Amino acid sequence: MPFTTSTDGVRIYYEAQGTGPAVVFVHGSGGHHAAWWQQVPRLRDRFTVVTLDLRGFGRSASALDEFDSRAFPDDIAAVLAAAEVGPAVLVGQSIGAAAALKTALRTPVSAAGVVLAHSLGGIDHPDLAARVRADRAVAEKLPVLDRLLTPRFQTDEPAKTFLFQQMGSFNTAKMADLRNLNSDGPTIEDVVGSGIPLCFLAGENDAVLRPDTVRAAAALIPSATLELVATAPHSMYWEAPELFNTALIRFLEKAHAHDLSAAGELI
């Protein structure tokens, strides 16, 4: 099994599959590397697909006294170095997006782009922060599962819903361990100044992050790509993978246009 070591000596698990320009998936709070089971087979014929477990999740080190999410970018950077995949598009889902964005901003040369999936990536901006707090206050009135998957999906797909819930049982880190994730967030000026291609990928039916909040964030970064998918919920990658994958591939083809053209993958 492939492991690498983060800067503070913590063992981090990752997998790399396929060939071509790289895309790295960073899971959310209830996930780990296997959460991307509907993305890896779709992408690995054209891209090198890297999945990983942040510390406290999946197969990565879980015997620590406490987990500090401020170390997550170091975990991702260690995987990028070990996998030797070259500049990669970093795809972060929910809480994984903040870690993905920080990683890219620390080492821009390693980032061909960043996808903030159902997240604003912890960007520090007063209006956005207020919008996120308001969205969260509404979402917290719902049962946790209803924030992530639509009631219709839960009824129609009980097996996939059960598996979704079981995924979190493989993790040691809890939400309380993620309390520092949005601290020291980058500013709008940091993101724009980096020149790193950015994509906001979210659903119109996201119960955690409202569409208007995502639109407001995208409006502050004119160069960003906005993929706001109709009917999609917070966990679009799981509930509606065909919609998630299609939107993601559009951005991957843009971010990796040079490499894909050289390989005859783009006309």
Side-chain angles (χ1 to χ4, degrees), residues 77-155:
V79 169
L80 285 170
E84 298 181 328
V85 292
V89 172
L90 306 181
V91 182
Q93 159 69 16
S94 194
I95 63 101
L101 181 57
K102 286 180 179 177
T103 304
L105 292 172
R106 288 182 187 180
T107 55
V109 69
S110 68
V114 176
V115 177
L116 305 179
H118 309 278
S119 171
L120 303 188
I123 294 174
D124 184 9
H125 186 277
D127 176 58
L128 297 181
R131 289 174 179 269
V132 169
R133 283 195 300 271
D135 292 351
R136 188 170 300 161
V138 174
E140 287 177 350
K141 296 176 182 177
L142 299 172
V144 172
L145 192 57
D146 288 350
R147 304 174 200 170
L148 309 177
L149 301 173
T150 64
R152 180 175 180 177
F153 180 83
Q154 295 174 47
T155 299

Side-chain angles (χ1 to χ4, degrees), residues 8-242:
D8 57 355
V10 173
R11 273 162 56 88
I12 303 298
Y13 179 81
Y14 71 97
E15 295 181 0
Q17 303 186 46
T19 58
V23 53
V24 176
F25 285 98
V26 185
H27 57 79
S29 61
H32 48 70
H33 69 278
W36 306 106
W37 64 282
Q38 297 179 101
Q39 281 69 52
V40 176
R42 178 71 176 81
L43 298 174
R44 64 186 174 191
D45 289 342
R46 299 179 67 197
F47 302 93
T48 300
V49 184
V50 178
T51 55
L52 60 90
D53 293 337
L54 298 168
R55 62 184 62 201
F57 293 83
R59 290 173 170 164
S60 288
S62 59
L64 308 177
D65 292 335
E66 63 178 12
F67 301 97
D68 190 334
S69 59
R70 287 173 292 191
F72 288 168
D74 295 331
D75 298 346
I76 300 169
V79 169
L80 285 170
E84 298 181 328
V85 292
V89 172
L90 306 181
V91 182
Q93 159 69 16
S94 194
I95 63 101
L101 181 57
K102 286 180 179 177
T103 304
L105 292 172
R106 288 182 187 180
T107 55
V109 69
S110 68
V114 176
V115 177
L116 305 179
H118 309 278
S119 171
L120 303 188
I123 294 174
D124 184 9
H125 186 277
D127 176 58
L128 297 181
R131 289 174 179 269
V132 169
R133 283 195 300 271
D135 292 351
R136 188 170 300 161
V138 174
E140 287 177 350
K141 296 176 182 177
L142 299 172
V144 172
L145 192 57
D146 288 350
R147 304 174 200 170
L148 309 177
L149 301 173
T150 64
R152 180 175 180 177
F153 180 83
Q154 295 174 47
T155 299
D156 294 347
E157 299 284 356
K160 289 182 179 178
T161 299
F162 177 71
L163 179 58
F164 181 85
Q165 294 174 292
Q166 292 298 100
M167 295 287 282
S169 68
F170 292 88
N171 302 325
T172 301
K174 306 301 181 188
M175 284 301 294
D177 297 312
L178 308 177
R179 56 193 178 280
N180 293 321
L181 193 61
N182 288 331
S183 63
D184 304 321
T187 64
I188 293 292
E189 291 73 20
D190 292 335
V191 176
V192 172
S194 74
I196 298 171
L198 187 71
C199 175
F200 292 95
L201 172 53
E204 288 276 8
N205 290 347
D206 190 331
V208 179
L209 190 65
R210 297 292 175 181
D212 285 349
T213 300
V214 183
R215 291 190 185 96
L220 293 171
I221 306 174
S223 61
T225 298
L226 175 61
E227 291 279 2
L228 200 51
V229 180
T231 75
H234 185 73
S235 295
M236 186 192 341
Y237 73 102
W238 188 279
E239 178 169 332
E242 68 287 353

